[in-house]
Amino acid sequence: MAGILNKLRNLDAYPKINEDFYSRTLSGGVITLVSSVVMFLLFFSELRLYLHSVTETKLVVDTSRGETLRINFDMTFPALACSILSVDAMDISGELHLDVKHDVIKRRLDSHGNIIESRQDGIGAAKIEKPLQKHGGRLEHNETYCGSCYGAEAEEHDCCNSCEDVREAYRKKGWGVTNPDLIDQCKREGFLQRVKDEEGEGCNIYGFLEVNKVAGNFHFAPGKSFHQAGVHVHDLLAFQKDSFNISHKINRLTFGDYFPGVVNPLDKVQWSQDTPNAMYQYFIKVVPTVYTDISGHTIQSNQFSVTEHVKSSEAGQLQSLPGVFFFYDLSPIKVTFTEEHISFLHFLTNVCAIVGGVFTVSGIIDAFIYHGQKAIKKKIEIGKFS
């Protein structure tokens, strides 16, 4: 038994030195104090990293198919009335969303940017009590109202009972309403008078669009849109104006849900128009992004970068459609963010590295100073130090 203990004693890699052989110095004490402070600072820094999650970033090829893209927007047009503003979306697959109203909310603004809660009674032209029937006579008390679509009926029995119905029927035919006062429904509802009454108002429009996950564009522009001979057209004649101010502020624009750390470069961006007409274009590159938090919850979203361009034209010379256009394309690369904790073994390894590293470096510095002092002292004693 004693032999085994002696063999174990010979394996001791940490031989002990008698205290009588210790030599304590002032420089050693200073180095010990400084190294202890450094050691504690590094330890608490490592502890903080261990207690908090870290985010790992990876780039992978986006192999998703058949998904949709949700576009959330909140735009303010200080000089464009809600009654003439429309939202359209289209993509390279040929799918069209014209004059989108579903999931889109408009709020009228006065010249100071305050929300107009409700329209005052009596705005617009006086209503004609007996509207014009499709057959040409006025509505009698025992008849059901069926207004004319003025040649734009898809089927013979179709009725257009409001100005909006007539404009929609014209849009489907690819026609434009040149003079609303010639249409009984628009005259009765005071369409042109309402447009004139809203002159000087602004509009806050917000909501979301659900589109195919392919390249496309969406835009905010005056007038009702339709396709004519394969060309996207907006009916601006009905408003009897030769210029439109599309100054705007983007309160918020996102492609998908919010996730921690996301930066949307167009939030709070605004632009003021200094020519009678302009077409403002944003070219957006959308990067699919997946964020997984520490609990394993995954958020499918997107980030984007943007460049911009503006086309201007003079009054009465509409070389391009006035409006704000967003052209977007999708990146084939997907970014993944994953929150995770550092493992305890990794933390323990780093703590040991900190303690051992600081202890070793401080020992080297102390030995260098100690032996340097001894050499200088010895030279002084023999008179060779100068």
Side-chain angles (χ1 to χ4, degrees):
M1 186 66 179
I4 295 175
L5 293 177
N6 287 331
K7 288 182 179 180
L8 287 175
R9 191 177 292 111
N10 291 332
L11 291 175
D12 184 6
Y14 309 99
K16 312 305 182 290
I17 301 175
N18 195 301
E19 289 189 6
D20 294 339
F21 297 98
Y22 284 155
S23 177
R24 303 183 186 276
T25 61
L26 178 61
S27 61
V30 173
I31 291 172
T32 301
L33 183 61
V34 172
S35 61
S36 298
V37 171
V38 171
M39 196 181 300
F40 275 108
L41 289 176
L42 293 175
F43 170 77
F44 283 114
S45 174
E46 192 65 33
L47 181 63
R48 184 178 62 83
L49 290 176
Y50 172 70
L51 295 177
H52 294 79
S53 60
V54 294
T55 303
E56 182 183 359
T57 304
K58 289 182 181 179
L59 298 178
V60 296
V61 176
D62 185 14
T63 58
S64 59
R65 295 290 183 273
E67 296 181 357
T68 58
L69 182 65
R70 178 170 174 145
I71 304 171
N72 305 294
F73 60 86
D74 184 350
M75 301 270 296
T76 298
F77 294 85
L80 205 59
C82 288
S83 60
I84 68 175
L85 184 63
S86 65
V87 186
D88 301 324
M90 56 197 71
D91 58 46
I92 59 173
S93 70
E95 185 167 322
L96 302 175
H97 302 271
L98 302 180
D99 196 16
V100 180
K101 291 183 172 64
H102 186 61
D103 299 316
V104 175
I105 299 173
K106 296 179 182 178
R107 295 190 294 188
R108 294 169 56 207
L109 305 175
D110 62 20
S111 58
H112 302 290
N114 301 315
I115 297 173
I116 302 173
E117 295 294 339
S118 59
R119 183 187 300 277
Q120 296 177 1
D121 292 335
I123 287 185
K127 292 187 177 181
I128 301 172
E129 291 185 1
K130 292 185 177 182
L132 189 65
Q133 285 281 54
K134 186 175 182 179
H135 54 69
R138 291 290 174 183
L139 177 67
E140 300 298 334
H141 69 279
N142 59 347
E143 287 185 311
T144 301
Y145 178 47
C146 179
S148 173
C149 295
Y150 298 88
E153 297 92 342
E155 297 180 7
E156 186 178 350
H157 62 273
D158 286 349
C159 301
C160 294
N161 295 339
S162 67
C163 183
E164 184 65 23
D165 290 345
V166 177
R167 295 178 68 204
E168 182 65 18
Y170 268 54
R171 183 189 69 79
K172 290 179 179 179
K173 283 283 188 179
W175 301 348
V177 178
T178 56
N179 188 354
D181 276 345
L182 297 179
I183 297 173
D184 179 69
Q185 293 90 326
C186 296
K187 185 176 181 180
R188 180 163 45 85
E189 295 173 9
F191 175 80
L192 280 180
Q193 185 62 41
R194 187 168 70 247
V195 172
K196 291 177 182 177
D197 290 340
E198 291 185 2
E199 188 73 32
E201 288 186 6
C203 186
N204 172 231
I205 180 169
Y206 65 95
F208 68 88
L209 301 170
E210 199 83 28
V211 297
N212 294 326
K213 196 174 180 181
V214 295
N217 82 81
F218 63 98
H219 57 267
F220 303 84
K224 187 172 284 291
S225 58
F226 54 90
H227 257 62
Q228 189 176 59
V231 179
H232 184 73
V233 180
H234 277 244
D235 178 17
L236 303 180
L237 294 175
F239 304 117
Q240 299 181 358
K241 297 176 64 175
D242 59 1
S243 65
F244 297 89
N245 188 340
I246 61 159
S247 298
H248 60 275
K249 179 181 180 182
I250 304 174
N251 303 309
R252 184 175 70 101
L253 180 67
T254 65
F255 290 79
D257 297 328
Y258 170 82
F259 63 89
V262 65
V263 176
N264 298 310
L266 286 179
D267 286 1
K268 307 303 180 184
V269 168
Q270 60 183 14
W271 177 77
S272 297
Q273 179 176 315
D274 54 8
T275 57
N277 290 298
M279 178 184 186
Y280 209 89
Q281 300 170 309
Y282 295 95
F283 298 92
I284 296 172
K285 177 67 75 172
V286 179
V287 181
T289 304
V290 179
Y291 187 92
T292 305
D293 62 22
I294 197 66
S295 62
H297 175 65
T298 298
I299 301 173
Q300 300 280 348
S301 189
N302 300 276
Q303 303 176 86
F304 67 92
S305 60
V306 62
T307 57
E308 53 195 66
H309 177 69
V310 62
K311 292 181 181 179
S312 301
S313 58
E314 298 302 321
Q317 300 177 358
L318 287 177
Q319 299 173 350
S320 56
L321 175 65
V324 181
F325 289 73
F326 296 87
F327 299 90
Y328 58 88
D329 195 5
L330 289 120
S331 169
I333 302 298
K334 178 189 290 185
V335 181
T336 64
F337 296 109
T338 306
E339 281 188 351
E340 55 186 21
H341 272 310
I342 297 175
S343 67
F344 179 74
L345 288 178
H346 189 275
F347 167 71
L348 190 61
T349 302
N350 286 354
V351 169
C352 292
I354 289 170
V355 174
V358 172
F359 185 80
T360 302
V361 171
S362 59
I364 293 172
I365 295 173
D366 178 63
F368 176 78
I369 294 175
Y370 175 71
H371 291 291
Q373 287 177 337
K374 283 186 66 177
I376 292 172
K377 187 177 180 181
K378 187 174 182 180
K379 287 188 176 183
I380 291 174
E381 288 176 351
I382 61 177
K384 289 185 177 181
F385 183 79
S386 56

